[in-house]
Amino acid sequence: MMNLKRIFLPFIIVFANSVFAQQEPVKTQFEGYLFAYFEGKSDPMKREHLRFATSSVGLKWKALNNNLAVISSDTISSTGGIRDPHLLRGEDKGFYLVATDMKTFKDGWDNNPGIVMMYSDNLVDWKHQVINLEKSYPKKFKNVKWVWAPQTFYDTKKGKYLVYFTVRYHHNDKLDFYAAYANKDFTGFESEPKLLFSPKYGGIDGDIIFDKGVYHFFYKGNTKDAAGKEFKNGIKVATSASLWGPWKENEGYVDSYADTSTVVEGSSIFTLNNSDEYILMYDVYAEGRYEFQRSKDLSSFTQKPESFTKNFDPRHGSIISITKEEARNLDRKWGGVMPELVQPTKKNDRYVFQSKGNPIITHHYTSDPAALVINDTLWMYTGHDFEGGQRDYVMRDWLVYSTTDMKTWTEYPVPLKVVDFEWATSKSAFAGHVAEYYWYISTNWTGIGVAVADRPEGPFKDALGKPLLTNEDCFASTHSWACIDPAIFIDDDGTPWIFWGNRECYYAKLKDNMIEIDGDVKQINFEGFSFTEAPWVHKYQGKYYLTYATEFPEKIAYAMADIIEGPYEYKGILNEIAGNSNTNHQSIVEYKGEWYFLYHNGGIQTDGGSYSRSVCIDRLEYNEDGTIKRIVMTSEGIQ
């Protein structure tokens, strides 16, 4: 008789292990951070609105929506203002946000009725509810003066969300913390709030964090003399083995300013991703600064305060970690997310977004667009100005996008970097042009190279291991950056040509292998030709069109010819100076029966400029005689 136990036992073990592996929770991969805050230095009547900012490292921040409100407070609060927003990632994958319902620049500081409670599944779409303590719980809070700085904490023992806040009454100056559990849909409380913590001398701006079996309660406290006069204040901490206390107030203060005249408030704790380090941040409100100190145990902190790098002026806020997809949702909705948070990095990762007009890409600073049509897809290859507000060309790689409708765009992982060309010691990733699938790029004074790929999105690799063209090929030039801005044109008979240059315009025939020059390098020159850079050749109804940047600041001019090598006849200005940018660089393409003009300007607000550019697209139209109508640059772009 067969031993069935011997046969089936290994199967059972393997099956059980498989089921166990499938049931193991997947750890959330956090890529960055989201900062919820209200403003401190904008128009006073617009400060107390909800704003967001993102960061990839937690220390360098960029505001969403150009630092305008992501949600206007008059749509979610009873007073028209919100302060002290606290954001929590829930245990149920939802997000909880609470804030003080108060508009001080309209109503002053004398009274506020309660708080705002908000819930979202995705950080983009929010439901809200106003909680008025005086009206909802008149027996306990009839004479309430302040309901300040609410926060939410998940009580693992109860499986509920605890909302806590500072309360002060008109008849009593003492500042105490009250709390209540939220109902299931986060629209109110299960019962009347109760006293949670009563610091000896009162406290505001509480922030609870749990670590190694201990609850830590950070808050702004103070110390008073025998006569009851405050002589010191700052960030204090209390600890407890239970969420509801009793709380033991630790001696001293944790912020570095407690023994100085500098005052701080609005403390908030968050942890750095993939790290055991805590960041205790606080609002240096009287001086308009936002600073932080570090800790690994929540008891000892670095003594020297550090400052965030940011393009906004926050007041009391909070920070959570976010995933890449959450960052992309935020960017699609409001724009302004740190580019590295949405940039695809893995082979099959893609970021799909909608163009909202010109500029068509706002999460990267892009330049020197080159278009390529393959079947029903338009591919766009761009330069990449690395940051906003740059004062020089800092360009280290190139980017690639595609569209099938001129509105929905797909971004791919970085297809090519200047370091991929070992000979390019300049480390400058200047303008390029792709002809299926060879990418001709310029590297400032080290020459023009060519990379190759087996699909339009890349990745591309150096095809030669050396430059295709250098300054030695630019026989009429004496300056070091003459060998830039390659543009490829493949004629109807399949002959490939390359055009390039700065100050002087050069061209040559390419061999069929696309990586060698076939014959002599020649120069284009004709009456009225004032060439700066950025040549581009296209063909329409049997005529050849040479467009190029002229003068400085640059406009785009064009000329026409009957054959590719000319002679060319100057036809005039095609595109005026692009807004907020000294340079211009165009490509022209026919796609699905329409002609398009791709170019760049410095239009991203507020840090766009000549070295932080942005790609735009508008329509190109011809006159009956084949000449081109002036390009109308629009903010709306392609509709």
Side-chain angles (χ1 to χ4, degrees), residues 247-263:
W247 295 94
K248 179 183 178 181
E249 297 183 59
N250 294 356
E251 296 293 331
Y253 295 80
V254 297
D255 69 283
S256 298
Y257 293 109
D259 293 318
T260 72
S261 59
T262 298
V263 288

Side-chain angles (χ1 to χ4, degrees), residues 376-410:
D376 67 343
T377 302
L378 184 145
W379 294 85
M380 183 174 69
Y381 303 85
T382 76
H384 180 198
D385 295 336
F386 253 64
E387 293 183 330
Q390 294 187 152
R391 297 187 177 184
D392 201 355
Y393 296 112
V394 180
M395 306 172 73
R396 305 187 187 105
D397 58 26
W398 295 268
L399 304 176
V400 58
Y401 305 86
S402 70
T403 183
T404 57
D405 61 7
M406 303 300 291
K407 296 178 182 179
T408 303
W409 291 86
T410 299

Side-chain angles (χ1 to χ4, degrees), residues 284-301:
V284 191
Y285 60 95
E287 300 179 23
R289 304 199 310 272
Y290 221 91
E291 297 182 341
F292 64 92
Q293 293 167 235
R294 304 171 188 254
S295 176
K296 290 192 175 183
D297 57 11
L298 294 177
S299 59
S300 58
F301 288 82

Side-chain angles (χ1 to χ4, degrees), residues 599-612:
Y599 61 103
H600 67 234
N601 63 16
I604 291 181
Q605 297 299 320
T606 57
D607 291 325
S610 290
Y611 305 107
S612 299

